[in-house]
Protein backbone atom coordinates (compact mmCIF):
# COMPACT_ATOMS: atom_id res chain seq x y z
CA UNK A 1 0.00 0.00 0.00
CA UNK A 2 1.15 3.50 -0.80
CA UNK A 3 1.79 5.59 2.32
CA UNK A 4 -0.12 8.81 2.74
CA UNK A 5 1.90 11.98 2.06
CA UNK A 6 2.59 14.07 5.12
CA UNK A 7 3.83 17.60 5.63
CA UNK A 8 7.42 18.11 6.81
CA UNK A 9 7.72 19.01 10.52
CA UNK A 10 8.67 22.62 9.72
CA UNK A 11 5.46 23.06 7.72
CA UNK A 12 3.33 21.47 10.44
CA UNK A 13 4.90 23.69 13.08
CA UNK A 14 4.41 26.78 10.92
CA UNK A 15 0.74 25.99 10.32
CA UNK A 16 0.24 25.40 14.04
CA UNK A 17 1.86 28.76 14.80
CA UNK A 18 -0.32 30.56 12.23
CA UNK A 19 -3.50 29.07 13.72
CA UNK A 20 -2.36 30.01 17.23
CA UNK A 21 -1.57 33.57 16.11
CA UNK A 22 -5.09 33.96 14.69
CA UNK A 23 -6.88 32.66 17.79
CA UNK A 24 -7.00 36.07 19.59
CA UNK A 25 -9.34 37.31 16.86
CA UNK A 26 -11.76 34.43 17.46
CA UNK A 27 -12.01 34.23 21.28
CA UNK A 28 -12.86 36.57 24.12
CA UNK A 29 -10.21 38.30 26.25
CA UNK A 30 -11.16 36.03 29.17
CA UNK A 31 -10.40 32.88 27.18
CA UNK A 32 -7.29 34.49 25.76
CA UNK A 33 -5.86 35.35 29.18
CA UNK A 34 -7.09 32.42 31.29
CA UNK A 35 -6.88 29.54 28.82
CA UNK A 36 -4.67 30.22 25.82
CA UNK A 37 -1.96 32.23 27.60
CA UNK A 38 -1.80 29.69 30.42
CA UNK A 39 -1.76 26.82 27.93
CA UNK A 40 1.26 28.41 26.25
CA UNK A 41 3.56 28.43 29.29
CA UNK A 42 2.19 25.19 30.73
CA UNK A 43 2.72 23.66 27.31
CA UNK A 44 6.36 24.75 27.45
CA UNK A 45 6.84 22.77 30.67
CA UNK A 46 5.12 19.75 29.13
CA UNK A 47 7.21 20.18 25.98
CA UNK A 48 10.38 19.71 28.05
CA UNK A 49 8.95 16.38 29.25
CA UNK A 50 8.01 15.32 25.70
CA UNK A 51 11.47 16.32 24.45
CA UNK A 52 13.10 13.95 26.95
CA UNK A 53 10.59 11.20 26.23
CA UNK A 54 10.70 11.44 22.44
CA UNK A 55 14.41 11.96 21.83
CA UNK A 56 16.00 10.60 25.00
CA UNK A 57 13.61 7.81 25.96
CA UNK A 58 13.24 9.30 29.46
CA UNK A 59 9.86 10.12 31.03
CA UNK A 60 10.93 12.59 33.69
CA UNK A 61 8.69 13.83 36.49
CA UNK A 62 11.22 16.40 37.73
CA UNK A 63 10.23 18.97 35.11
CA UNK A 64 7.69 20.56 37.45
CA UNK A 65 10.35 20.84 40.15
CA UNK A 66 12.71 22.58 37.72
CA UNK A 67 9.85 24.85 36.65
CA UNK A 68 9.23 25.69 40.32
CA UNK A 69 12.91 26.40 40.97
CA UNK A 70 12.91 28.86 38.08
CA UNK A 71 9.74 30.57 39.37
CA UNK A 72 11.15 30.86 42.88
CA UNK A 73 14.38 32.31 41.50
CA UNK A 74 12.36 34.96 39.67
CA UNK A 75 10.59 35.80 42.93
CA UNK A 76 13.71 35.87 45.10
CA UNK A 77 15.80 37.90 42.64
CA UNK A 78 13.04 40.24 41.53
CA UNK A 79 11.07 40.79 44.74
CA UNK A 80 13.57 40.17 47.53
CA UNK A 81 16.70 41.57 45.84
CA UNK A 82 15.11 43.95 43.30
CA UNK A 83 17.30 42.87 40.38
CA UNK A 84 16.46 44.06 36.85
CA UNK A 85 14.19 41.72 34.93
CA UNK A 86 16.90 40.59 32.51
CA UNK A 87 19.27 39.60 35.34
CA UNK A 88 16.36 37.87 37.04
CA UNK A 89 15.69 35.85 33.89
CA UNK A 90 19.37 34.90 33.55
CA UNK A 91 19.50 33.78 37.19
CA UNK A 92 16.29 31.77 36.83
CA UNK A 93 17.40 29.98 33.67
CA UNK A 94 20.84 29.36 35.14
CA UNK A 95 19.35 27.92 38.33
CA UNK A 96 16.91 25.67 36.46
CA UNK A 97 19.61 24.41 34.08
CA UNK A 98 22.04 23.73 36.92
CA UNK A 99 19.45 21.87 38.99
CA UNK A 100 18.43 19.84 35.93
CA UNK A 101 22.09 18.95 35.39
CA UNK A 102 22.35 17.71 38.99
CA UNK A 103 19.08 15.79 38.68
CA UNK A 104 20.41 14.22 35.50
CA UNK A 105 23.54 13.04 37.27
CA UNK A 106 21.37 11.37 39.91
CA UNK A 107 18.93 9.75 37.47
CA UNK A 108 20.72 8.69 34.30
CA UNK A 109 21.85 5.28 35.54
CA UNK A 110 18.26 4.14 36.06
CA UNK A 111 15.78 3.10 33.37
CA UNK A 112 12.09 2.39 32.98
CA UNK A 113 9.91 2.43 36.08
CA UNK A 114 12.95 2.97 38.30
CA UNK A 115 13.83 6.15 36.40
CA UNK A 116 10.23 7.32 36.71
CA UNK A 117 10.15 6.76 40.47
CA UNK A 118 13.53 8.43 41.07
CA UNK A 119 12.45 11.54 39.17
CA UNK A 120 9.15 11.61 41.05
CA UNK A 121 11.04 11.38 44.34
CA UNK A 122 13.33 14.27 43.41
CA UNK A 123 10.34 16.38 42.40
CA UNK A 124 8.61 15.77 45.73
CA UNK A 125 11.82 16.51 47.66
CA UNK A 126 11.99 19.95 46.03
CA UNK A 127 8.31 20.53 46.84
CA UNK A 128 8.72 19.69 50.53
CA UNK A 129 11.89 21.77 50.78
CA UNK A 130 10.05 24.79 49.37
CA UNK A 131 7.13 24.25 51.74
CA UNK A 132 9.28 23.89 54.87
CA UNK A 133 11.79 26.69 54.22
CA UNK A 134 10.72 29.99 55.79
CA UNK A 135 13.85 32.01 55.05
CA UNK A 136 14.13 31.82 51.26
CA UNK A 137 10.79 30.52 49.95
CA UNK A 138 8.59 31.92 52.75
CA UNK A 139 7.15 28.48 53.50
CA UNK A 140 3.64 27.58 52.47
CA UNK A 141 2.73 31.27 52.03
CA UNK A 142 5.09 31.76 49.11
CA UNK A 143 6.30 35.03 47.63
CA UNK A 144 3.99 37.66 46.16
CA UNK A 145 4.57 40.89 44.26
CA UNK A 146 6.07 39.55 41.01
CA UNK A 147 5.51 41.82 38.04
CA UNK A 148 6.14 41.24 34.32
CA UNK A 149 8.87 43.38 32.76
CA UNK A 150 8.45 46.86 31.36
CA UNK A 151 10.22 47.12 28.01
CA UNK A 152 10.21 50.35 26.06
CA UNK A 153 7.53 51.84 28.29
CA UNK A 154 5.11 48.95 27.70
CA UNK A 155 4.18 46.13 30.06
CA UNK A 156 3.06 42.57 29.35
CA UNK A 157 -0.06 42.81 31.49
CA UNK A 158 -2.84 42.95 28.90
CA UNK A 159 -4.32 39.64 27.66
CA UNK A 160 -3.06 40.09 24.10
CA UNK A 161 0.44 41.09 25.26
CA UNK A 162 0.68 38.11 27.64
CA UNK A 163 -0.47 35.71 24.97
CA UNK A 164 1.84 37.19 22.34
CA UNK A 165 4.84 36.89 24.67
CA UNK A 166 4.04 33.31 25.69
CA UNK A 167 3.29 32.24 22.13
CA UNK A 168 6.45 33.85 20.74
CA UNK A 169 8.67 32.21 23.35
CA UNK A 170 6.96 28.83 22.84
CA UNK A 171 7.51 29.07 19.07
CA UNK A 172 11.20 29.90 19.51
CA UNK A 173 11.71 26.96 21.84
CA UNK A 174 9.81 24.59 19.56
CA UNK A 175 11.85 25.49 16.49
CA UNK A 176 15.05 25.54 18.56
CA UNK A 177 14.53 22.02 19.91
CA UNK A 178 13.60 20.77 16.44
CA UNK A 179 16.81 22.22 14.99
CA UNK A 180 18.85 20.81 17.89
CA UNK A 181 17.68 17.29 17.15
CA UNK A 182 19.10 17.53 13.62
CA UNK A 183 22.60 18.27 14.91
CA UNK A 184 25.24 15.70 15.77
CA UNK A 185 24.21 15.93 19.43
CA UNK A 186 20.56 15.26 18.60
CA UNK A 187 21.33 12.29 16.37
CA UNK A 188 23.67 10.80 18.98
CA UNK A 189 21.03 11.28 21.67
CA UNK A 190 18.49 9.39 19.58
CA UNK A 191 21.05 6.65 19.05
CA UNK A 192 21.52 6.43 22.83
CA UNK A 193 17.76 6.08 23.15
CA UNK A 194 17.46 3.32 20.56
CA UNK A 195 20.57 1.23 21.25
CA UNK A 196 22.71 2.42 24.18
CA UNK A 197 24.92 -0.69 24.11
CA UNK A 198 25.89 -0.12 20.48
CA UNK A 199 26.52 3.59 21.13
CA UNK A 200 28.87 2.70 23.99
CA UNK A 201 30.69 0.30 21.69
CA UNK A 202 31.12 3.14 19.19
CA UNK A 203 32.75 5.28 21.89
CA UNK A 204 29.84 7.51 22.89
CA UNK A 205 29.28 8.36 26.55
CA UNK A 206 25.60 7.50 26.85
CA UNK A 207 25.34 8.79 30.42
CA UNK A 208 26.67 12.24 29.55
CA UNK A 209 24.36 12.56 26.55
CA UNK A 210 21.43 11.79 28.83
CA UNK A 211 22.65 14.34 31.38
CA UNK A 212 23.02 17.01 28.69
CA UNK A 213 19.52 16.24 27.43
CA UNK A 214 18.27 16.66 30.99
CA UNK A 215 20.00 20.05 31.15
CA UNK A 216 18.44 21.23 27.89
CA UNK A 217 15.00 20.12 29.10
CA UNK A 218 15.65 21.92 32.38
CA UNK A 219 16.37 25.13 30.50
CA UNK A 220 13.08 24.77 28.61
CA UNK A 221 11.12 24.09 31.80
CA UNK A 222 12.89 27.07 33.37
CA UNK A 223 11.56 29.33 30.63
CA UNK A 224 8.07 28.10 31.48
CA UNK A 225 8.79 28.90 35.14
CA UNK A 226 9.70 32.50 34.29
CA UNK A 227 6.55 33.02 32.22
CA UNK A 228 4.40 31.33 34.87
CA UNK A 229 5.77 33.56 37.63
CA UNK A 230 5.11 36.67 35.57
CA UNK A 231 1.59 35.52 34.79
CA UNK A 232 0.57 34.53 38.33
CA UNK A 233 2.35 37.35 40.14
CA UNK A 234 3.30 34.97 42.96
CA UNK A 235 4.90 31.60 43.64
CA UNK A 236 3.98 29.06 46.31
CA UNK A 237 4.88 25.40 46.93
CA UNK A 238 1.58 24.32 45.39
CA UNK A 239 2.99 24.90 41.90
CA UNK A 240 5.22 21.84 42.47
CA UNK A 241 2.90 19.45 44.30
CA UNK A 242 1.86 15.99 43.12
CA UNK A 243 -1.28 17.33 41.44
CA UNK A 244 0.79 19.66 39.25
CA UNK A 245 3.25 16.87 38.44
CA UNK A 246 0.42 14.60 37.29
CA UNK A 247 -1.21 17.51 35.44
CA UNK A 248 1.86 18.16 33.30
CA UNK A 249 2.10 14.42 32.54
CA UNK A 250 -1.58 14.41 31.51
CA UNK A 251 -0.99 17.41 29.23
CA UNK A 252 1.88 15.55 27.56
CA UNK A 253 -0.27 12.44 27.10
CA UNK A 254 -3.24 14.40 25.73
CA UNK A 255 -1.00 16.14 23.21
CA UNK A 256 0.86 12.97 22.29
CA UNK A 257 4.07 11.83 23.96
CA UNK A 258 5.86 12.02 20.59
CA UNK A 259 4.53 15.43 19.51
CA UNK A 260 6.12 18.60 20.85
CA UNK A 261 3.60 20.95 19.17
CA UNK A 262 0.77 18.71 20.37
CA UNK A 263 1.41 19.59 24.02
CA UNK A 264 -0.13 23.02 23.50
CA UNK A 265 -3.35 21.46 22.27
CA UNK A 266 -3.14 19.06 25.20
CA UNK A 267 -2.77 22.02 27.57
CA UNK A 268 -5.89 23.67 26.13
CA UNK A 269 -7.86 20.44 26.55
CA UNK A 270 -6.57 19.98 30.10
CA UNK A 271 -7.46 23.53 31.13
Amino acid sequence: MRSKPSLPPAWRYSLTLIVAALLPFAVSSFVLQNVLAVAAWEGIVAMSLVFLSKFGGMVSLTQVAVYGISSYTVAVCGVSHHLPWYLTVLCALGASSLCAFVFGLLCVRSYGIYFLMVTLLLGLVVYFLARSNETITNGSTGIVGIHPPHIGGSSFTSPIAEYALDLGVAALLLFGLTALMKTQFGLALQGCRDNPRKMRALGYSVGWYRVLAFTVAGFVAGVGGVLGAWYNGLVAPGIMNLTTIVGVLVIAVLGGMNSMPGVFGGAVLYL
Side-chain angles (χ1 to χ4, degrees):
M1 295 179 64
R2 184 177 298 177
S3 61
K4 295 181 180 180
S6 60
L7 290 174
W11 282 93
R12 294 201 302 268
Y13 296 172
S14 299
L15 289 174
T16 303
L17 179 60
I18 291 173
V19 172
L22 295 176
L23 283 176
F25 301 100
V27 299
S28 65
S29 60
F30 175 84
V31 173
L32 183 63
Q33 187 172 29
N34 294 282
V35 177
L36 298 182
V38 177
W41 57 262
E42 285 193 353
I44 289 174
V45 182
M47 184 168 63
S48 70
L49 191 157
V50 171
F51 164 75
L52 282 177
S53 173
K54 180 178 181 180
F55 298 110
M58 299 175 283
V59 181
S60 169
L61 299 182
T62 61
Q63 303 312 109
V64 171
V66 176
Y67 151 81
I69 289 170
S70 176
S71 294
Y72 267 107
T73 305
V74 169
V76 171
C77 293
V79 177
S80 302
H81 297 284
H82 307 289
L83 293 181
W85 70 268
Y86 49 88
L87 291 180
T88 297
V89 171
L90 289 176
C91 291
L93 298 182
S96 60
S97 301
L98 178 60
C99 289
F101 177 79
V102 174
F103 291 159
L105 291 175
L106 296 173
C107 296
V108 292
R109 291 186 179 274
S110 56
Y111 291 86
I113 188 64
Y114 304 104
F115 179 88
L116 193 71
M117 295 307 295
V118 170
T119 56
L120 175 60
L121 173 64
L122 290 173
L124 292 178
V125 166
V126 173
Y127 162 67
F128 284 112
L129 284 175
R131 197 177 72 171
S132 61
N133 187 285
E134 296 288 345
T135 305
I136 300 176
T137 62
N138 199 25
S140 58
T141 303
I143 303 174
V144 300
I146 305 171
H147 300 286
H150 291 261
I151 303 175
S154 60
S155 176
F156 295 94
T157 54
S158 65
I160 187 67
E162 285 182 341
Y163 178 68
L165 174 64
D166 296 345
L167 179 62
V169 172
L172 288 175
L173 291 173
L174 179 60
F175 282 101
L177 289 177
T178 303
L180 179 64
M181 286 303 99
K182 296 179 181 178
T183 64
Q184 183 178 356
F185 166 78
L187 296 175
L189 177 63
Q190 295 172 70
C192 295
R193 172 202 63 194
D194 295 334
N195 197 332
R197 181 177 297 180
K198 184 176 181 179
M199 294 299 289
R200 290 190 186 97
L202 292 173
Y204 288 89
S205 177
V206 174
W208 279 113
Y209 273 96
R210 287 162 62 90
V211 170
L212 290 176
F214 234 92
T215 306
V216 172
F219 175 87
V220 175
V223 173
V226 172
L227 296 175
W230 286 347
Y231 176 87
N232 293 314
L234 58 91
V235 291
I239 65 173
M240 298 183 290
N241 61 17
L242 185 59
T243 302
T244 310
I245 294 173
V246 173
V248 169
L249 182 60
V250 170
I251 288 173
V253 172
L254 287 175
M257 288 297 287
N258 289 322
S259 173
M260 289 194 294
V263 297
F264 300 102
V268 172
L269 290 174
Y270 179 76
L271 289 168

